[in-house]
Amino acid sequence: MARSTTDAATGALTWHEGRLFRHGVPHRVLSGALHYFRVHPDLWRDRIRRLADLGLNTVDTYVAWNFHQPREDEAPRFDGWRDVERFIRTAGEEGLDVVVRPGPYICAEWSGGGLPSWLTGRDVAIRSSDPAFTSAVGRWFGELVPRIAALQTAEGGPVVAVQVENEFGSYGDDHAYLRWNRRALTGHGIRELLFTADGPTELMLDGGTLPGTLTAVTLGSKPEAARRLLATRRPDEPFVVAEFWNGWFDHWGKRHHVREVDSAVGTLRGIVADGGSVSIYMAHGGTNFGLWAGANDHEGRHESVVTSYDSDAPIAEDGTLTPKFFAMREALGTARGPLRSPERMPKLPPARVPLVHRADLLAGLRAVPAPTSTAPRPASFEQLGLDAGMILHTAHPRIPAGEHRLTLTDVRDRALVFADGRWLGVADADSPELTVHGTGDVVRLEVLVESLGRVNYGPGIGRHKGLLGPVLVDRRMVQGWDSMPVALQEWSRTELAAAVTAGAAAGAVAAGPATTRAGFADATFHVETPADTFLALPGSGRGLVWVNGFLLGRHWEIGPQVTLYCPAPLLRAGENTVTVLELERLGGLLELRDRPELGPPEAYVEEFD
């Protein structure tokens, strides 16, 4: 009984004549996707236990390279929230097998698809056999893969399978790169089942599969058609769906995607029929904390993913067991067993807390020291070594008397523009022009450019961020720029406090009622016993939210997401502080709610033609 023609069958999972076996016993992988980087580590065990309650025997997770190594000159971290080994061991302690998907590209609606911007910002052919790419991945795999190998079933751990790359057939056809990826895994000690995962089309399977490596598929519907297609290409292999999209993610400015329970369960039944194996994507989606949410490039338009990654999963963002959970449990034949997890986690009681304005926007940002670059053109995020956040660009053009057209020819992704401290407006790809009034004197022109997430899928991966094209006053180019990075995701509590208290220090805006258009504000509230809550900012426009110094994520009035999930471990008994960086219009209130509001729903099922 061999699992492939090239890999020694030393691991737990093998196949023969279209059937999957675990240590020689017929087996069906019933897995759920759960990403350690989207769940607070204090909640890992709870969420893993909920997967087990769903009736699953396996958990699968991606590994996000940029989460572990955001800077090239710093070694990858594997501690705290990044302790993927502890996550894997915890799953094993809860009786689950583990499938690891190390990429290095993961898609996942995660910034850059997990690829670090310090690599994608170079002139390198990513996801290819380009030595400039494989050498960097090789160093990363040298740090990561031995840690996974030490947790294989062959070593007494729970890891039963490892994925080669990720949906490569929807990107390219460099099979030399795929073979390199597979060799890199085995060379660092992986002896468990290896597999590829691609959409169930001839085009994608041609590009993404390898001889001698199990072919799995990713889909949201029509499993029967996928099963027939694989039977013609890999007749001896078992039917494995590496991602079953039972829900979908959301973009800012769109509606909240949901999938009806009957639709999802019907497809699930079709997958597991006749011994099929599945991973439910997502079983528990979690949250795109901080600025880690990715983006899509749709017909040339940048579409940013929201902070929530609830994904209409059977286990909701806050751990709630949904109707989809119970219906899937029934479909998997595990509904008779007792639940070890409560259906819903405790919540704080609803409350309304005043937001107190503390500092003007630009004064607050300038209060956090950062090395400034001076050059004829504005520096990009990549030139400044900035992965996420903002850049504050300053120039001093002389503008003749009268009204003039100010054009930002290539903004990635959104810019707030000021002239002598006066707000001019917002510029983006759809609205690149503003009006500036000159007097014949020199104007202090300030442009605050914000990244709204790095593209995580398709040829747009690696696209640069910032003011990438000329800034024009009428037809004349503005030259001579100071560019200051604002690394919000890296700010310490001390740096955040410096921004919040900058108003009084700089004399820009005194603390007082939240009536200023933009800036830093905070709200404090008392907690007896920490519990989950959902934060809302009625009246505010767009910005970022910190809880006790932790960057929770982005809020934006265009929706669909209204509330931000705040898990209990981020709170403490006693006083808690929520800090808001409001970029457009500061409201006067913070609401603590006991239920999420993710926006008006829209039914959605992802299908391949």
Side-chain angles (χ1 to χ4, degrees), residues 63-74 76 102-107 110-124 126-127 132-133 136-141 292 381-382 385-388 454-456 461-464 489:
V63 179
W65 182 4
N66 55 5
F67 187 63
H68 291 265
Q69 192 182 17
R71 292 186 176 276
E72 183 181 19
D73 59 356
E74 297 178 3
Y105 166 76
I106 65 171
C107 186
W110 187 258
S111 176
L115 297 175
S117 58
W118 54 259
L119 177 60
T120 61
R122 300 173 183 166
D123 183 15
V124 56
I126 63 170
R127 304 182 72 190
F133 181 70
V137 177
R139 290 189 292 272
W140 161 237
F141 272 15
W292 289 112
F381 277 57
E382 289 70 27
L386 184 62
D387 176 64
R454 292 184 178 273
V455 171
N456 58 259
I461 298 171
R463 183 167 293 156
H464 289 202
Q489 190 148 267

Side-chain angles (χ1 to χ4, degrees), residues 73-134:
D73 59 356
E74 297 178 3
R77 290 180 52 193
F78 294 94
D79 59 338
W81 207 314
R82 294 161 176 81
D83 193 347
V84 63
E85 295 157 282
R86 180 165 78 86
F87 177 83
I88 292 171
R89 287 194 298 268
T90 301
E93 291 165 4
E94 292 297 322
L96 296 182
D97 288 341
V98 178
V99 173
V100 182
R101 309 170 74 187
Y105 166 76
I106 65 171
C107 186
E109 292 69 58
W110 187 258
S111 176
L115 297 175
S117 58
W118 54 259
L119 177 60
T120 61
R122 300 173 183 166
D123 183 15
V124 56
I126 63 170
R127 304 182 72 190
S128 81
S129 51
D130 181 351
F133 181 70
T134 56

Side-chain angles (χ1 to χ4, degrees), residues 254-582:
K254 307 291 184 178
R255 297 176 75 87
H256 171 48
H257 290 129
V258 298
R259 183 168 181 180
E260 293 181 358
V261 171
D262 289 347
S263 169
V265 170
T267 300
L268 178 62
R269 290 184 187 276
I271 293 170
V272 300
D274 194 28
S277 292
V278 67
S279 181
I280 298 169
Y281 191 99
M282 297 292 296
H284 172 63
T287 308
N288 296 313
F289 291 114
L291 301 177
W292 289 112
N296 292 99
D297 183 1
H298 180 65
E299 297 179 350
R301 294 181 60 86
H302 187 85
E303 297 185 341
S304 303
V305 175
V306 302
T307 301
S308 172
Y309 201 62
D310 178 86
S311 303
D312 195 33
I315 303 166
E317 183 178 13
D318 66 334
T320 295
L321 307 182
T322 68
K324 189 180 288 185
F325 173 96
F326 292 101
M328 286 187 168
R329 195 168 183 254
E330 180 74 31
L332 295 173
T334 57
R336 292 182 298 276
L339 291 174
R340 294 184 297 166
S341 307
E343 291 189 26
R344 193 166 186 262
M345 300 288 279
K347 299 291 184 290
L348 294 181
R352 294 161 64 89
V353 186
L355 261 179
V356 181
H357 187 275
R358 299 297 185 188
D360 181 38
L361 174 61
L362 298 182
L365 296 178
R366 291 190 183 281
V368 180
T372 298
S373 168
T374 300
R377 296 184 300 181
S380 69
F381 277 57
E382 289 70 27
Q383 289 171 323
L384 295 176
L386 184 62
D387 176 64
M390 306 173 183
I391 300 177
L392 180 57
H393 301 283
T394 306
H396 298 86
R398 184 179 299 277
I399 300 180
E403 289 191 347
H404 298 270
R405 186 173 67 254
L406 181 69
T407 307
L408 283 62
T409 60
D410 191 1
V411 182
R412 306 287 177 86
D413 297 302
R414 192 174 174 91
L416 308 182
V417 184
F418 304 83
D420 290 332
R422 182 175 60 86
W423 163 269
L424 294 186
V426 175
D428 58 22
D430 293 329
S431 303
E433 293 187 5
L434 298 168
T435 299
V436 59
H437 184 80
T439 62
D441 293 331
V442 169
V443 171
R444 186 177 79 255
L445 181 64
E446 293 168 299
V447 182
L448 181 63
V449 179
E450 180 186 9
S451 168
L452 296 178
R454 292 184 178 273
V455 171
N456 58 259
Y457 181 82
I461 298 171
R463 183 167 293 156
H464 289 202
K465 296 288 187 177
L467 273 182
L468 304 184
V471 176
L472 304 176
V473 176
D474 295 334
R475 69 179 63 189
R476 191 189 75 201
M477 188 185 305
V478 178
Q479 295 178 303
W481 290 89
D482 294 333
S483 300
M484 185 188 82
V486 184
L488 298 167
Q489 190 148 267
E490 302 174 24
W491 275 10
S492 65
R493 294 190 182 193
T494 300
E495 289 169 318
L496 181 61
V500 172
T501 58
V509 178
T515 57
T516 306
R517 185 180 185 91
F520 288 86
D522 60 25
T524 59
F525 56 94
H526 185 85
V527 170
E528 292 291 337
T529 302
D532 290 352
T533 189
F534 300 92
L535 306 182
L537 294 162
S540 290
R542 183 176 67 89
L544 304 173
V545 178
W546 287 260
V547 176
N548 293 327
F550 175 84
L551 182 52
L552 197 62
R554 178 176 281 113
H555 80 90
W556 200 347
E557 65 180 348
I558 64 173
Q561 182 177 359
V562 175
T563 57
L564 289 170
Y565 170 56
C566 176
L570 295 179
L571 301 176
R572 56 191 175 224
E575 291 298 315
N576 292 264
T577 300
V578 171
T579 304
V580 177
L581 167 53
E582 176 56 43

Side-chain angles (χ1 to χ4, degrees), residues 31-64:
S31 181
L34 167 63
H35 301 154
Y36 63 95
F37 44 85
R38 284 183 160 124
V39 176
H40 192 287
D42 290 357
L43 297 174
W44 284 349
R45 188 175 299 275
D46 173 84
R47 301 306 195 254
I48 290 168
R49 188 167 291 177
R50 288 169 189 269
L51 260 68
D53 280 343
L54 181 54
L56 305 180
N57 57 30
T58 306
V59 58
D60 86 63
T61 185
Y62 281 126
V63 179

